[in-house]
Amino acid sequence: MTIANDVLVYIGTYTEHPATGEGSKGVYVARFDPATGTLGPLTVAATLENPSFVAVSRDAKFMYAVSEVGVRETGGEPTGFVHAYSVGAEGALTSLNRVASGGADPCHISVSRDGNTVAVANYSGGSVALIRRNADGSLGKSEIDPHPGHGPRADRQKTAHAHSVDFSSNDRTLLSCDLGADRVFLYHMGRMPADMRTSVALEPGSGPRHLALHPSGRYAYVINELSNTVAAFAFNASAGTLRQMQTISTLPFGHTGPSNTAEIVAHPSGRFVYGSNRGHDSIVGYAVNAKSGRLTHLGNTPTGGKTPRSFAIDPTGRWLIAANQATDSLITFAVDHRSGALTPTGASVTVPRPVCVLFVSPAGSVGTPGR
């Protein structure tokens, strides 16, 4: 597919710094030139509190953003919010409505391929929300499922902490990584009740955070925040089942310093998988075995800043943009399509406390999202 020079990049951020009180204004947007790998000037697309993650419908007509907060509504438990927007010229966002996420600190969001359902992971709430989309793109009724379970880490795993939500390519399964429960929960679409979900357990204390589905649909890769590992699974999209094949480190051999992972993304070619390390401040690269789906460590590339939270690969597969949350920077890397190696281009853009990077083509092609 030829990607015209009308690709947009949306940046989700945190709007208040815990020490200084300063931060961003909300969701930012910039034009991206896939011929040169350069970002244009950033503008504020929507003013919103802590829009840490954003997602877009496949036709690029609607944007959805979490507001990662925990507000106690009258007579209820703390909740965050989900905002719906229509997408206009130059990526401008027009608010449609806001709904409660059903749990505190919603930290991840996805839209089904058919556009009819928005899924949200509530981190502190330890739950997943499925929100139905109205015909005009606004958000309607929701169903909430609290995750059961906990892990051995008393500091991070006393309760469930849903950390991501991803739809399978056929929309039949929703996969949710839960850092607190050391599990990936699987929902067959339209079957939210707890007695209809299944789950697979990961190593105790691993803290599954985010998940990347291989373009073939045959494999899933889970990055574990607490153990600094990636778990490779065989995935049956029709049956909605996962079978673990491998666990591999995200850090170089012998590294002993403090670090924890954040993001994982599969390259559009299916030949490579990448993950981010906060502390080691690097992107780890893996080669994917085409026959087995197993991973081989290629190396670690410094991100040119501190605390790389999210990153994303553009629709052409030629460029990767990493968001360094602690140093307020977006750094662009060229991706070698033969070796998978990452090379910094020298391009850097300043944005306050970046968390999420999302490539969007207004023509309807969505780039590999950094979730």
Side-chain angles (χ1 to χ4, degrees):
M1 174 185 293
T2 299
I3 305 296
N5 289 349
D6 58 358
V7 175
L8 300 173
V9 176
Y10 286 94
I11 309 298
T13 66
Y14 283 131
T15 53
E16 184 175 344
H17 193 283
T20 66
E22 298 176 351
S24 79
K25 294 182 179 180
V27 179
Y28 291 78
V29 67
R31 282 196 169 275
F32 178 78
D33 185 349
T36 63
T38 56
L39 273 173
L42 288 169
T43 60
V44 178
T47 300
L48 180 64
E49 184 177 8
N50 288 348
S52 56
F53 266 81
V54 298
V56 70
S57 59
R58 285 186 61 80
D59 60 10
K61 292 181 179 180
F62 304 106
M63 169 76 74
Y64 302 94
V66 300
S67 180
E68 191 174 330
V69 298
V71 176
R72 187 178 297 276
E73 296 188 314
T74 303
E77 295 295 321
T79 185
F81 300 98
V82 187
H83 293 250
Y85 301 91
S86 61
V87 180
E90 302 296 323
L93 301 178
T94 300
S95 179
L96 296 175
N97 73 332
R98 182 192 82 167
V99 299
S101 68
D105 300 314
C107 62
H108 196 249
I109 187 168
S110 293
V111 184
S112 61
R113 291 173 68 90
D114 64 14
N116 293 328
T117 307
V118 175
V120 177
N122 294 306
Y123 179 81
S124 297
S127 63
V128 164
L130 282 183
I131 308 171
R132 304 304 174 186
R133 193 191 79 170
N134 298 319
D136 64 354
S138 64
L139 295 170
K141 295 182 179 180
S142 63
E143 299 176 83
I144 312 297
D145 182 45
H147 282 175
H150 60 86
R153 285 275 301 265
D155 58 334
R156 297 291 307 277
Q157 296 183 309
K158 286 184 178 180
T159 62
H161 291 300
H163 217 311
S164 63
V165 279
D166 293 278
F167 290 94
S168 62
S169 60
N170 61 7
D171 272 351
R172 293 182 61 177
T173 305
L174 176 73
L175 303 96
S176 176
C177 293
D178 194 297
L179 183 146
D182 283 330
R183 287 184 173 272
V184 178
F185 292 91
L186 299 98
Y187 298 87
H188 294 285
M189 290 312 302
R191 307 170 97 177
M192 172 58 95
D195 60 355
M196 300 304 296
R197 74 163 127 70
T198 59
S199 68
V200 295
L202 283 86
E203 292 83 352
S206 56
R209 179 183 172 94
H210 281 195
L211 178 148
L213 291 170
H214 191 267
S216 70
R218 297 167 54 198
Y219 312 114
Y221 301 97
V222 174
I223 196 161
N224 297 308
E225 177 175 338
L226 304 182
S227 62
N228 295 302
T229 60
V230 170
F233 291 85
F235 177 52
N236 185 321
S238 297
T241 59
L242 291 171
R243 176 178 56 83
Q244 189 168 352
M245 306 181 295
Q246 177 191 24
T247 300
I248 187 170
S249 177
T250 65
L251 298 170
F253 179 77
H255 177 78
T256 58
S259 194
N260 53 73
T261 67
E263 189 57 89
I264 188 164
V265 174
H267 191 270
S269 69
R271 297 181 59 194
F272 312 107
V273 168
Y274 300 92
S276 61
N277 293 299
R278 297 172 292 175
H280 190 257
D281 295 335
S282 66
I283 301 291
V284 60
Y286 306 99
V288 178
N289 185 297
K291 293 183 178 180
S292 69
R294 292 173 64 90
L295 303 177
T296 300
H297 184 254
L298 294 175
N300 289 70
T301 304
T303 61
K306 293 183 178 180
T307 318
R309 180 68 177 271
S310 172
F311 63 92
I313 300 171
D314 86 301
T316 70
R318 296 176 57 194
W319 313 103
L320 181 151
I321 294 181
N324 291 305
Q325 181 182 333
T327 47
D328 301 334
S329 63
L330 303 176
I331 307 294
T332 302
F333 297 82
V335 183
D336 188 303
H337 73 277
R338 291 180 292 270
S339 68
L342 303 178
T343 303
T345 65
S348 176
V349 175
T350 298
V351 59
R353 306 190 72 207
V355 178
C356 169
V357 182
L358 179 67
F359 285 94
V360 177
S361 168
S365 171
V366 180
T368 305
R371 295 176 173 172

